[in-house]
Amino acid sequence: MPPKILIIDDDSSLRRVLEYNLQQEGYDVYTAADGAAGLQLFEEKSPQLVITDLKMPGVTGFEVLSSVKERAPSTVVIVLTAFGAIDTAVEAMKLGAFHYLTKPFNREELKLTVLKGLQLQGLSEENRLLKEELSGRTEFKSIVGTSRAMEGVFSVVRKVADTEATVLITGESGTGKELVARAIHSGSSRRGAPFVAVNCAAIPKDLLESELFGHVKGAFTGAIRDKEGKFQLADGGTIFLDEVGDLPIELQPKLLRVLQERVVEPVGGTSLQKIDLRVVAATNADLERWIAEGKFREDLYYRLSVIPIQLPPLRERVEDVPLLIRYFCGKFGAEGVTFSKEALQRLKEYGWPGNVRELENTVERLLIMREGDQIGVDDLPAKISAAAPPPEGGVLRLPAGGYSLEQLEMEVVLEALNRCDWNQTAAARFLRIPRHTLIYRMEKYNITQPGRK
């Protein structure tokens, strides 16, 4: 459906000129000779954009502007003013008008102003619909995505949020693991209690036990008073253990005891403290591989992964890139900024090794450095502007004489394992197959990591 535009002006000649020019651009155009008739048409037609003269008998343009913004705040209003009355137009913009046109104006000026206004209206409406969609799922307010992969994540979160099950969130760095953990907390009956996040990789090893479990006075040099740990601070709520794979092996039995018995023993203490909390953990490591290497306890892994949630990397949900870009533009106060089709295509084709976090940082940098309200390919970082899709015809160049499918499959598996440094979980994700399917193929073709028996 073409956008609908309402023109309100008591000058019949100008109305006809505006109507003709805008109809030539493919818009549905409605006209009114005064403010009262214009507001009546506004109620009947619900246009996306209104062009109104400011000085009219009866209902003035200011009254039209006020009424339109009160009834439909996302509607774009462009005001018409006579030459030399710029102060009046500026006052109208302070009251919510998008822009003004000074009579006489040319066709190109009209077209460009209307186009920019409709682009802004479309973005505002899209954000409104997105907010309405999320209003019933407040736990997802910071997670943006409509791809099938993300809908699968949303579905699992909805099912497990209001339970007491321990959740293990896996995925590459920058995919939003903490956002999902917060969504689980927000959707649970513990939402009014603390959410305590701990990055196990960021705390020095010799301090981590005290940070997690607390300590009593005199437990070690410098322990001049009792101190509660993160588990005690999260009592009644949720504790989020980020990068749980980096938890030292000697502390893992203590965490296992917390999960099994819901008790905490502070460093240097002689009594146990009961706690009531939900545990959500996250890692970007292949914990099954670490179990095989003796770096992570198998019993702890199964206690943590009662409910596993795998977050997809951004390169596997590229259809979410434009939506994420619009979300970040709104977050950084630049809702009126647009991206050319070519720029969006390059942004979708880029691999995003840093995932959503890298995309957010890129959008912020582009908004700061931009010279206009549209970002094109030339504005993108070189590594992104140079991104290109796979060559036409796919990624394979098979010999004319044919090739063994089994040999091809074995080579693909080997290539994926080598690319992923023999991380089986990452290689399976790269090939978009379950991990057990990858292991079956490795056994079928007797594929083993070099240097291992």
Side-chain angles (χ1 to χ4, degrees):
M1 294 290 291
K4 291 183 286 187
I5 297 176
L6 171 62
I7 300 169
I8 308 173
D9 199 303
D10 59 342
D11 183 337
S12 59
S13 297
L14 182 58
R15 278 204 316 274
R16 285 194 296 271
V17 171
L18 289 170
E19 181 179 19
Y20 173 78
N21 284 329
L22 293 174
Q23 284 178 340
Q24 288 294 104
E25 296 300 313
Y27 302 124
D28 274 348
V29 184
Y30 306 92
T31 66
D34 58 68
L39 289 176
Q40 180 63 37
L41 264 179
F42 180 80
E43 287 291 330
E44 295 172 4
K45 303 299 183 181
S46 300
Q48 286 91 354
L49 185 143
V50 174
I51 300 175
T52 181
D53 193 8
L54 285 178
K55 290 189 176 182
M56 295 184 293
V59 178
T60 69
F62 281 103
E63 292 173 306
V64 168
L65 171 61
S66 177
S67 183
V68 166
K69 285 297 179 182
E70 182 179 347
R71 301 178 196 185
S74 65
T75 304
V76 173
V77 179
I78 298 171
V79 298
L80 305 177
T81 184
F83 179 76
I86 303 299
D87 289 346
T88 306
V90 171
E91 187 64 29
M93 292 181 68
K94 290 179 180 178
L95 296 175
F98 166 69
H99 215 300
Y100 65 89
L101 290 170
T102 305
K103 304 175 188 177
F105 46 83
N106 60 47
R107 178 176 177 174
E108 291 304 314
E109 186 181 3
L110 170 67
K111 285 168 51 180
L112 183 59
T113 304
V114 168
L115 179 61
K116 286 191 172 183
L118 287 172
Q119 287 175 338
L120 175 62
Q121 195 279 336
L123 181 61
S124 297
E125 183 66 10
E126 193 170 302
N127 285 342
R128 182 187 68 80
L129 292 173
L130 183 61
K131 287 176 182 176
E132 283 185 1
E133 179 188 350
L134 298 179
S135 63
R137 341 181 295 187
T138 54
E139 65 271 26
F140 300 135
K141 63 184 179 181
S142 297
I143 309 175
V144 177
T146 57
S147 61
R148 180 176 296 181
M150 288 308 296
E151 282 300 329
V153 172
F154 293 148
S155 177
V156 175
V157 171
R158 289 190 203 100
K159 291 176 182 177
V160 307
D162 203 19
T163 70
E164 292 299 303
T166 303
V167 178
L168 179 63
I169 307 167
T170 57
E172 298 176 10
S173 294
T175 50
K177 295 187 285 293
E178 183 170 343
L179 291 178
V180 173
R182 290 184 181 276
I184 292 170
H185 176 71
S186 297
S188 74
S189 58
R190 298 179 181 270
R191 65 179 67 88
F195 176 90
V196 177
V198 185
N199 188 330
C200 298
I203 302 173
K205 182 178 178 181
D206 54 347
L207 297 178
L208 186 56
E209 183 177 12
S210 172
E211 284 294 313
L212 286 175
F213 308 108
H215 63 251
V216 299
K217 180 180 178 180
F220 49 83
T221 303
I224 59 175
R225 64 177 66 88
D226 291 353
K227 177 189 173 183
E228 289 187 326
K230 301 297 186 183
F231 279 97
Q232 292 96 322
L233 293 174
D235 194 21
T238 302
I239 189 166
F240 173 54
L241 301 175
D242 197 10
E243 303 302 345
V244 71
D246 288 287
L247 191 69
I249 192 73
E250 59 269 22
L251 289 185
Q252 292 178 22
K254 204 162 184 176
L255 174 57
L256 182 63
R257 187 176 191 181
V258 173
L259 294 171
Q260 291 175 331
E261 303 175 21
R262 290 298 192 266
V263 293
V264 170
E265 183 179 358
V267 177
T270 56
S271 60
L272 301 176
Q273 300 176 6
K274 292 193 93 39
I275 53 171
D276 171 31
L277 48 69
R278 172 89 172 271
V279 177
V280 179
T283 183
N284 60 11
D286 181 354
L287 291 186
E288 292 185 16
R289 177 184 174 188
W290 285 19
I291 290 169
E293 295 177 356
K295 297 178 182 178
F296 203 84
R297 291 178 61 109
E298 186 174 20
D299 50 0
L300 176 58
Y301 171 73
Y302 289 116
R303 279 285 181 180
L304 289 171
S305 61
V306 175
I307 304 292
I309 297 179
Q310 173 72 43
L311 292 189
L314 187 54
R315 63 181 174 275
E316 291 182 9
R317 56 180 187 111
V318 294
E319 60 268 45
D320 288 335
V321 169
L323 185 60
L324 284 161
I325 289 172
R326 289 194 290 273
Y327 174 80
F328 293 137
C329 284
K331 177 179 177 180
F332 297 125
E335 292 187 346
V337 175
T338 60
F339 286 67
S340 71
K341 289 183 180 180
E342 295 79 9
L344 280 175
Q345 187 61 31
R346 296 294 175 87
L347 287 161
K348 290 171 68 175
E349 290 166 356
Y350 178 60
W352 297 112
N355 292 296
V356 178
R357 185 183 297 124
E358 183 184 4
L359 175 61
E360 180 178 5
N361 293 341
T362 300
V363 171
E364 183 179 13
R365 183 166 61 252
L366 289 171
L367 294 175
I368 292 171
M369 302 300 292
R370 78 183 192 276
E371 295 183 357
D373 286 338
Q374 184 173 75
I375 292 172
V377 172
D378 292 341
D379 300 310
L380 303 178
K383 65 179 180 180
I384 297 176
S385 62
E392 187 174 352
V395 296
L396 295 178
R397 298 292 183 189
L398 295 176
Y403 202 74
S404 164
L405 178 60
E406 286 198 347
Q407 179 67 25
L408 180 63
E409 185 178 57
M410 182 176 72
E411 290 177 5
V412 168
V413 171
L414 274 168
E415 174 67 17
L417 286 164
N418 281 318
R419 283 195 184 202
C420 299
D421 195 28
W422 288 82
N423 181 318
Q424 293 177 5
T425 300
R429 190 162 55 240
F430 178 83
L431 294 172
R432 302 181 186 181
I433 59 175
R435 185 172 180 273
H436 64 82
T437 301
L438 174 67
I439 293 173
Y440 167 76
R441 294 291 191 279
M442 292 174 66
E443 292 174 350
K444 176 181 177 181
Y445 299 119
N446 195 27
I447 297 173
T448 56
Q449 185 175 354
R452 286 177 172 248
K453 294 184 177 181

